[in-house]
Amino acid sequence: MSETFRTLDDAQVSGKRVLLRVDLNVPMENGKVSDATRIERVLPTIREIADKGGKVVLLAHFGRPKGGPDAANSLRPVAAAVSDLLGRPVAFCPDCIGGVAASAIAAMKDGDVLLLENTRFHKGEEKNDPAFASELAKLGDVYVNDAFSAAHRAHASTEGVARLLPACAGRAMQAELDALTLALGAPARPVAAIVGGAKVSTKLDLLGNLVAKVDVLVVGGGMANTFLFAQGKAVGRSLCEKDLAAAARSILAAAKSANCRILLPVDATVAKEFKAHAAWRSVDVDNVGEDEMILDLGPRSTAAVEEALGGVETLVWNGPVGAFELPPFDAATMAIARTAAKLTHEGRLKSVAGGGDTVAALNAAGVADDFTYVSTAGGAFLEWMEGKVLPGVEALRAK
Ligand code: 3PG
Ligand code: MG
């Protein structure tokens, strides 16, 4: 896919002021970055531009400030973290537009790195206000977007400015687009998708899009309960969106006409309490007690998913299949993660996973590195899986 997007290979950066949009919306604890994955992903792009003699001007948002400066959402502490990981100085500028930004950039030498303050401190950012986008564009000669995880937002720093300057994808964005193409754009078939998570309501578009695209669709997590209920099964006190039973049935019908095989749980691990190490048992989905909750796939369902993975070429995964944050109800998610990792490692499967909970689960299983690609994007990965157009990606499309 990267051939349909402009990349750093198509850009002239030497001696140029390069506006590099990155996603530095990283978790912080006590003023320190607690998970640096997003920073690590963009280091190669920063290094490449700097080493080619570009002036790297980092643009990013942080948190959801209400359109004015607020100390709690300052990117200043993140500049230090980027500098530590990069092993080079990263200067910080307390505004992302105006005289202060212009002079900070004018003082840069080729190869220097500067982080501008949170773009969301200006109301024009989220409104994609053309005046604000042109204030940003004034500061650079070239625009590079390495923030796939913010590409579902049509904001000035992700979309507007890309229309005003020569624009291309950075290396992390390029890797992400390549992986997404591999997973759903032009995948090796058969292709399976695993969709989990608590609620059907948040994933209706996703399921609708997937049944038309994949050969096997595994539905797990709390959302599977709604499907079981829609098929007339008693789900006890399980999480279940009863008002979505009709929607679930229409997804099943759509899958049938698209020749997509849907794997629903046939057995489950159930408990009477929603807590770690609650007393549990495995039951057939026809035998869930009135006072029980389905908290994970049972062993037969887990084995069925693992067997299905053995028969496909490609896997795309979003959402844990059980209450993975509460052991032992993480068992099925862990087992499936390990099987997918093993098949990938053996060259028998291409595996792409994304979404915050999914990444946490893969990390807990210790297998994230064995997947073909793990996306750090949450909302953007989901919208892409829903088949939606991502404005930040569209703006990089080669014309
Ligand atoms: C994210 O963390 O999901 C991205 O940085 C986008 O942030 P947002 O959801 O606040 O737009
Ligand atoms: Mg988000």
Side-chain angles (χ1 to χ4, degrees):
M1 188 182 248
S2 57
E3 69 272 16
T4 66
F5 292 90
R6 292 182 298 268
T7 71
L8 268 181
D9 298 323
D10 310 308
Q12 259 302 331
V13 298
S14 173
K16 300 277 171 61
R17 299 168 303 161
V18 181
L19 295 182
L20 173 57
R21 180 55 160 100
V22 286
D23 189 350
L24 300 180
N25 200 22
V26 289
M28 307 277 284
E29 269 162 36
N30 307 320
K32 291 244 179 302
V33 175
S34 57
D35 178 348
T37 312
R38 282 181 169 173
I39 299 176
E40 281 157 7
R41 291 279 172 102
V42 297
L43 297 177
T45 304
I46 298 176
R47 285 199 185 101
E48 181 175 338
I49 297 169
D51 292 348
K52 284 177 170 168
K55 299 177 173 77
V56 185
V57 179
L58 299 172
L59 279 181
H61 74 279
F62 188 82
R64 291 178 177 171
K66 294 281 157 263
D70 95 55
N73 286 305
S74 174
L75 275 169
R76 191 184 286 276
V78 181
V82 177
S83 173
D84 284 348
L85 291 160
L86 189 63
R88 303 179 189 189
V90 174
F92 180 75
C93 175
D95 199 354
C96 65
I97 54 167
V100 44
S103 14
I105 294 169
M108 291 173 82
K109 294 191 289 295
D110 292 353
D112 280 356
V113 183
L114 170 75
L115 171 61
L116 302 180
E117 183 58 288
N118 195 344
T119 51
R120 289 188 183 172
F121 284 179
H122 291 271
K123 288 201 169 65
E125 164 70 338
E126 290 173 70
K127 290 189 182 133
N128 201 3
D129 171 24
F132 178 68
S134 78
E135 286 296 312
L136 291 175
K138 269 196 231 164
L139 302 173
D141 305 303
V142 179
Y143 171 80
V144 180
N145 191 344
D146 225 13
F148 175 82
S149 46
H152 56 318
R153 309 291 181 211
H155 293 174
S157 70
T158 58
E159 205 272 349
V161 67
R163 305 282 180 196
L164 302 174
L165 290 174
C168 72
R171 297 304 180 196
M173 174 72 88
Q174 185 182 348
E176 187 96 33
L177 296 175
D178 285 343
L180 300 187
T181 302
L182 188 83
L184 279 188
R189 288 190 179 273
V191 46
I194 300 176
V195 179
K199 291 183 168 178
V200 176
S201 50
T202 59
K203 300 213 173 160
L204 278 174
D205 290 349
L206 173 67
L207 294 167
N209 185 45
L210 287 177
V211 292
K213 291 212 168 125
V214 304
D215 305 291
V216 182
L217 175 62
V218 175
V219 180
M223 59 192 289
N225 306 334
T226 301
F227 281 83
L228 295 174
F229 173 78
Q231 293 183 321
K233 306 215 187 290
V235 295
R237 286 172 47 236
S238 305
L239 190 71
C240 177
E241 293 167 285
K242 298 193 168 155
D243 51 328
L244 288 177
R249 280 191 292 268
S250 71
I251 288 165
L252 293 174
K256 195 162 190 194
S257 56
N259 261 328
C260 168
R261 183 178 152 224
I262 294 209
L263 278 183
L264 286 172
V266 290
D267 63 347
T269 301
V270 299
K272 292 183 182 168
E273 287 172 293
F274 185 77
K275 65 170 204 204
H277 308 293
W280 59 272
R281 65 180 189 124
S282 287
V283 292
D284 196 276
V285 288
D286 291 312
N287 295 321
V288 177
E290 251 172 54
D291 55 349
E292 290 177 321
M293 281 173 280
I294 297 175
L295 295 182
D296 199 10
L297 298 183
R300 284 198 297 127
S301 308
T302 306
V305 176
E306 294 179 287
E307 194 191 317
L309 293 185
V312 298
E313 296 289 322
T314 305
L315 167 67
V316 51
W317 186 351
N318 176 260
V321 297
F324 83 104
E325 68 283 9
L326 305 177
F329 309 108
D330 57 345
T333 300
M334 297 294 125
I336 293 166
R338 290 195 185 100
T339 298
K342 180 167 173 287
L343 291 168
T344 306
H345 195 75
E346 292 167 0
R348 294 164 58 196
L349 183 71
K350 293 188 174 58
S351 50
V352 175
D357 284 352
T358 316
V359 177
L362 297 186
N363 283 332
V367 300
D369 290 345
D370 290 320
F371 270 59
T372 309
Y373 190 80
V374 176
S375 176
T376 62
F381 187 83
L382 201 62
E383 289 195 23
W384 165 79
M385 271 182 90
E386 289 168 352
K388 298 205 172 120
V389 163
L390 305 185
V393 172
E394 285 312 298
L396 306 175
R397 214 175 265 286
K399 281 171 213 103

